[in-house]
Amino acid sequence: MRKVKVGITGIFLLISGLLMAQNVNRTPQGVKVNVAEGNFNAEVIFYSPSIVRIVKYPSVKDQMPDKESLSVTLVPEQTKIDFKEQGDDVRLKTSDMIVTLNKTDGTVRFTDTKNNELLAEKGTPSFYPNKGKADKGTYKVRQAFMLEKEEAIYGLGILQNGKMSQRNQRKYLMPGNVEDGITFFQSVKGYGLFWDNYSPTNFADDENETSFESEVGDCTDYYFMYGGDADGVVAQMRTLTGQVPMFPLWTYGYWQSKERYKSQNEVLGVLNKYRELQIPLDGIVQDWQYWGSNYLWNAMEFLDGNYYNPQQMLDEIHAKNAHMIITIWSSFGPQTKPYKELNEKGLLFNFRTWPLAGTDTWPPREDYLSGVRVYDAYSPVARDIYWKHLTRLYDLGMDGWWMDSTEPDHLDAKPEDFDTPTYLGSFRKVRSAYPLMAVGGVYDHQRATTSDKRVFILTRSGFAGQQRYGCNVWSGDIVSTWESLRKQIPAGLNFTLTGNPNFNSDIGGFFLGHYNKGWNDGSATKNPSYQELYVRWVQFGAFNPMMRSHGTEAPREIYQFGKKGEPIYDAIEKAIRLRYSLLPYIYSTSWQVTNKQSSFMRALMMDFADDKKVWDMNDEYMFGKSILVAPIVEAQYTPEVAATASEETGWDRDDNKNKSKGSMTVDFTTKKTAKVYLPAGTVWYDFWTNEKYDGGQEISRETTIDMIPLYVRAGSIVPIGPDVQYATEKNWDNLELKVYAGANGSFTLYEDEFDNYNYESGAYTEIPMTWNNASRTLTIGARKGKYNGMLEKRQFTVKTVDGNSKTVTYTGKKVTVKL
């Protein structure tokens, strides 16, 4: 046998190699590596071929911390992994991506299956021990990443920074009134990253790195997902954290609200006035203090005598084919039944919350504190108690819930407040998950009660995974300014890109004191400056998943702005009727959101990623996959007015010095112009005129006060519904199908029973439609599925943009229309 000489270096390398091999352990879903140099363990855990979890924790803990994710619902599926060690690297390849873990420094990088780099970690994780008693044994945790210089990223929740791409930003992420920070972003390169931590988290991006740093954690814990494009990433995020249930059809109609209706007679009077004026309306909202004083805050009962017969009120609302939702909060006054039961079990927090005073005076009187306290929504017992008391309203026939202050409100926050113990640890540890738990508690309890009525929740705050709880999140108590209107577009789009498709804002803005002559005198609705802003906000709201007018200091009903035949009134009416005409399109889109993981509000990069001009475009978007919306977001007829009200502190009523001064005469009948960019890669048609344009250019569009620029992409099939007073007034038995020639296209018309969960067991129909541009033929395919009450026979009037029209009878069998 030949003798082999091994030098000192060779022996060292041999021993190091053996030790290194011992530090790499295969697991059923991936690999675990002890990184000796960094004194931490790193685990790669595949949940699917396109979703992988990366967990790192100090070596003093031999096993991964036992952590139950509050956002993630996906159970790891068996995934085929090609495992290979190459030098210092452990390479794990699935059918969708490659994850490479460096055994020496523990860094991870992600590539597609063709080795194109997607994302790479920068450096090792940081674990700084928390010294406070409340979070003893935990760490402040941080991980940095490297992005390409020109790479655009999106998400991070509802932000009021007005930006589409979130590069070069620093944000303190947690739920708030007007901003909801979500620890998720996705890239134009087709990947997403969810940092699974619920404590307050700093996100930072600059030319050197991109990082998440959270105040409390047992480990760094994040999910990387590869979807190929923005829709794919949204789909992966929902696969990871939960799918979107269907809302009732009526929720997509028009909603009227204000701060606040003060009596049963006022509520019914508003509904009656809309029906008298024949303005479509489906929802009306009851805001706070129907319970009486602040000491009875959120009693979940009508204790104010002005609501003399709540059951009669709900019955009359329903008899007039409308629906009501009512505000409920995360806190309770000391004289309420829920407070007493929760307090007995130690399920109330002690930090200061809204309302501070027991009297409804301004400023709040510290000598008459309200005693209102927030409940521990992290506790399953507390959530049971919450629903138990909420059933008093549910049993009246209430149609949904306006869950306000689900951040929750936290006034004059002190560091020690975050030490407050909850069912799941310190408040600091789980701070960001509060809205997820509060909203989820109501959804789960109602679902357990009945499947005959879909859950609908309007709420002020959201977090990752909340899309699974039947909620629409609005952007909080924003101010009434043009700048604020402009910010709502990227706010809604970035929220959508976190996987949460349901967004809306207070149409007209919440605080408008600078448009009023005096506090709460309603003068703003007669102020031309505010009238113009309000109309443009209504037009934008018509292309949100929820169209809801709301605010303080002035009522917002259409008749407050004038009367029929006047430009402002007519413009508001036109926007509302436009919304109702698109209900078949909107409801079919809602099915695509639920069934195909699509989105309502679509940043232009979702559909036109090859056009770099749209990567950072923050004032246009697609509504569904056919309609481009370009809201007018700058004043054309009146001067813009600067904001004075505070979004964060709220209720700043001392704004006399900045009122709109004097009166002005404005001719709202004159024509103006606006610039619109049409993305490259398709032909576009003006929704109003059918005029045809090539994409990849900016055009100048003549505008009027009653018109919002809308463009439809070639190949689209857009169903137009009947003229109605409420969403379900008329069957869709004679729909107009508008066909936009110039490219092949398809559309699926979806219908079901409109307000129960029978669709989950297959009680729905789909009618597929395809347009062949070469043969100019629309094929209406055979109907799929069935449900009780479905239309057996109907007509479709098919119209093309060049004026051709044919009406056909459809009985569920394939029909071909040549145009």
Side-chain angles (χ1 to χ4, degrees), residues 476-692:
D477 297 339
I478 52 177
V479 296
S480 302
T481 65
W482 288 95
E483 183 63 24
S484 183
L485 171 58
R486 289 189 281 268
K487 289 178 179 178
Q488 301 322 300
I489 299 174
L493 295 176
N494 275 296
F495 184 60
T496 292
L497 288 164
T498 68
N500 285 274
N502 290 304
F503 166 87
N504 75 107
S505 66
D506 289 344
I507 289 177
F510 185 74
F511 291 111
L512 52 74
H514 45 275
Y515 283 111
N516 271 343
K517 292 179 181 178
W519 168 253
N520 214 25
D521 66 358
S523 60
T525 57
K526 305 300 185 288
N527 183 333
S529 292
Y530 184 65
Q531 289 177 336
E532 182 184 5
L533 173 63
Y534 185 80
V535 164
R536 296 310 190 191
W537 215 313
V538 169
Q539 292 167 348
F540 165 62
F543 293 91
N544 284 197
M546 183 180 188
M547 185 183 186
R548 178 187 60 93
S549 170
H550 180 70
T552 190
E553 302 172 271
R556 311 294 175 89
E557 298 86 15
I558 185 173
Y559 45 85
Q560 306 290 348
F561 291 87
K563 58 186 179 181
K564 195 171 186 65
E566 297 176 351
I568 297 300
Y569 181 103
D570 289 352
I572 297 169
E573 179 180 1
K574 183 177 179 179
I576 295 172
R577 291 192 183 281
L578 173 62
R579 171 75 171 199
Y580 277 85
S581 72
L582 291 172
L583 283 182
Y585 174 81
I586 293 170
Y587 198 63
S588 296
T589 298
S590 76
W591 175 240
Q592 295 301 310
V593 170
T594 293
N595 191 47
K596 300 293 184 183
Q597 301 172 313
S598 190
S599 300
F600 287 105
M601 296 177 69
R602 304 173 58 81
L604 294 184
M605 50 73 61
M606 297 184 77
D607 296 294
F608 308 100
D610 291 338
D611 186 348
K612 288 189 176 182
K613 290 183 179 180
V614 307
W615 282 13
D616 201 25
M617 190 163 286
N618 64 355
D619 58 356
E620 298 179 19
Y621 60 98
M622 297 294 292
F623 188 63
K625 293 191 175 182
S626 296
I627 302 174
L628 184 147
V629 184
I632 304 294
V633 291
E634 294 183 350
Q636 295 178 315
Y637 296 88
T638 62
E640 290 199 11
V641 179
T644 59
S646 168
E647 294 168 328
E648 290 302 332
T649 60
W651 303 100
D652 180 4
R653 300 178 180 181
D654 185 21
D655 45 27
N656 292 313
K657 60 184 179 181
N658 284 298
K659 304 295 183 195
S660 296
K661 297 178 180 179
S663 60
M664 66 178 78
T665 301
V666 178
D667 184 1
F668 283 119
T669 65
T670 59
K671 295 179 179 179
K672 305 292 182 177
T673 59
K675 299 291 186 182
V676 178
Y677 180 75
L678 301 175
T682 188
V683 168
W684 296 94
Y685 292 90
D686 187 304
F687 178 84
W688 304 105
T689 67
N690 292 334
E691 190 173 354
K692 183 178 177 181

Side-chain angles (χ1 to χ4, degrees), residues 387 391 394-395 442-452:
W387 176 256
T391 55
Y394 183 75
D395 291 344
V442 172
Y443 176 85
D444 287 341
H445 279 91
Q446 185 172 329
R447 282 301 315 258
T449 300
T450 182
S451 289
D452 293 333

